[in-house]
């Protein structure tokens, strides 16, 4: 959160869309890297929980925010049982880090943590990332196999691009390309989604799509509000 691009963060209006109506509610933020969203949530509620599978991410955030929120080591993909229920659960483009059926599990597990009248708000980028398109174009232009990109499922596997990934990476704030290279390789397989995919994923997760709102900081991203069916 300290060195990435400002354009990768939600702006004030986006944060308002995430947190509208959440004053004094019990809020869970999935992903310790969304510091700006967590900080704002902590100003409107004393019941903010940060969920992340990484002890390192939690530890780093705790050094900065201290007791402004509570911290739970939690893997949303596995969906372990929690003794907590929340009025609002939010994530910022976390779903984009998963394949289609993993995304179904993530949303299903999110819904399972809701209070009866609670909602989940997942910001999800629609379409390919610029890096995806650069990798595909490079491979086509140089006669390389497209074994890293499944056109049918719209799934990319960064681990299969290691020989030419570095040259396709663009600057990202103050983060070095060496660090970005390792980070992308660590991401592995991810699906890309269109609006219909999200509707189908929510239905498969036994959820109800309440609304989807603009995400001003990124025109291709929408904030999907989901409730129990």
């Amino acid at each position: 959160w300290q060195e990435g691009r400002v354009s990768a963060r939600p702006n004030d209006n986006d944060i308002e869309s995430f947190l509208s109506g959440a004053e004094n509610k019990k809020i869970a933020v999935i992903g310790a890297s969304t510091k700006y969203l967590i900080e704002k949530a902590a100003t409107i509620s004393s019941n903010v929980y940060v969920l992340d599978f990484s002890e390192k991410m939690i530890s780093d955030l705790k050094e900065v925010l201290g007791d402004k929120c509570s911290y739970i080591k939690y893997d949303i993909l596995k969906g372990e049982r929690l003794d907590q229920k929340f009025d609002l659960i939010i994530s910022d483009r976390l779903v984009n880090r998963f394949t289609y059926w993993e995304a179904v599990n993530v949303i299903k597990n999110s819904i399972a943590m809701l209070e009866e009248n609670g909602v989940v708000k997942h910001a999800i980028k629609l379409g390919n990332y610029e890096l995806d398109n650069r990798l595909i174009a490079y491979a086509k232009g140089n006669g390389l196999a497209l074994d890293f990109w499944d056109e049918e499922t719209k799934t990319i596997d960064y681990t299969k691009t290691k020989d030419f990934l570095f040259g396709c990476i663009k600057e990202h704030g103050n983060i070095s390309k060496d660090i970005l290279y390792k980070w992308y390789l660590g991401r592995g397989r991810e699906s890309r989604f269109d609006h219909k995919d999200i509707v189908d994923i929510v239905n498969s997760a036994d959820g109800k799509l309440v609304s989807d709102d603009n995400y001003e900081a990124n025109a291709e991203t929408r904030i999907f509000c989901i409730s129990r069916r």
Side-chain angles (χ1 to χ4, degrees):
W1 64 72
Q2 294 169 318
E3 297 182 333
R5 290 175 288 116
V6 173
S7 60
R9 306 167 187 161
N11 66 23
D12 289 342
N13 289 334
D14 298 327
I15 292 174
E16 176 61 28
S17 294
F18 273 116
L19 299 175
S20 177
E23 291 81 2
N24 300 315
K25 301 290 188 179
K26 193 171 181 181
I27 303 170
V29 182
I30 307 174
S33 63
T34 52
K35 172 178 172 282
Y36 298 90
L37 192 53
I38 296 164
E39 280 184 313
K40 183 62 176 179
T43 67
I44 66 168
S45 173
S46 59
N47 263 323
V48 176
Y49 292 75
V50 179
L51 280 56
D52 201 293
F53 73 94
S54 168
E55 288 184 0
K56 176 70 164 60
M57 290 297 297
I58 289 174
S59 176
D60 288 349
L61 184 66
K62 196 170 185 178
E63 283 187 15
V64 177
L65 298 186
D67 60 2
K68 290 182 180 179
C69 51
S70 300
Y71 308 87
I72 302 174
K73 185 184 178 187
Y74 185 78
D75 189 335
I76 188 63
L77 184 58
K78 293 180 180 177
E80 301 105 328
R81 180 180 175 84
L82 275 184
D83 293 330
Q84 306 278 356
K85 296 288 184 181
F86 304 96
D87 301 302
L88 173 65
I89 299 172
I90 54 183
S91 80
D92 188 10
R93 289 165 287 190
L94 173 79
V95 175
N96 292 103
R97 298 293 172 259
F98 299 102
T99 63
Y100 183 98
W101 288 107
E102 287 174 341
V104 172
N105 284 337
V106 166
I107 291 178
K108 189 170 188 175
N109 294 337
S110 301
I111 293 169
M113 296 190 293
L114 288 175
E115 292 283 8
E116 184 175 349
N117 296 315
V119 293
V120 178
K121 293 184 180 180
H122 286 300
I124 303 172
K125 175 178 165 42
L126 303 180
N128 288 3
Y129 281 83
E130 289 183 12
L131 177 61
D132 303 340
N133 294 331
R134 288 197 297 272
L135 289 166
I136 292 168
Y138 181 90
K140 288 181 176 179
N142 290 274
L144 302 177
L146 284 171
D147 57 345
F148 61 91
W149 172 247
D150 187 325
E151 184 71 35
E152 183 178 353
T153 64
K154 294 177 291 189
T155 300
I156 194 162
D157 186 346
Y158 287 123
T159 65
K160 293 182 178 180
T161 69
K162 62 181 180 179
D163 292 335
F164 55 96
L165 171 63
F166 189 88
C168 292
I169 295 172
K170 287 191 175 181
E171 296 297 329
H172 188 105
N174 297 321
I175 305 173
S176 73
K177 288 182 69 172
D178 288 329
I179 291 175
L180 287 171
Y181 177 76
K182 293 176 183 177
W183 181 68
Y184 279 114
L185 286 181
R187 278 168 54 167
R189 298 178 69 245
E190 302 175 359
S191 291
R192 302 301 177 232
F193 310 110
D194 57 30
H195 195 278
K196 182 181 181 301
D197 291 326
I198 303 305
V199 172
D200 292 343
I201 286 170
V202 171
N203 286 333
S204 296
D206 297 323
K208 176 183 177 182
L209 183 57
V210 177
S211 65
D212 66 278
D213 298 316
N214 291 330
Y215 188 107
E216 289 187 5
N218 186 289
E220 293 81 31
T221 299
R222 306 288 294 176
I223 300 176
F224 292 90
C225 182
I226 304 161
S227 68
R228 295 179 182 274
R229 185 175 292 175

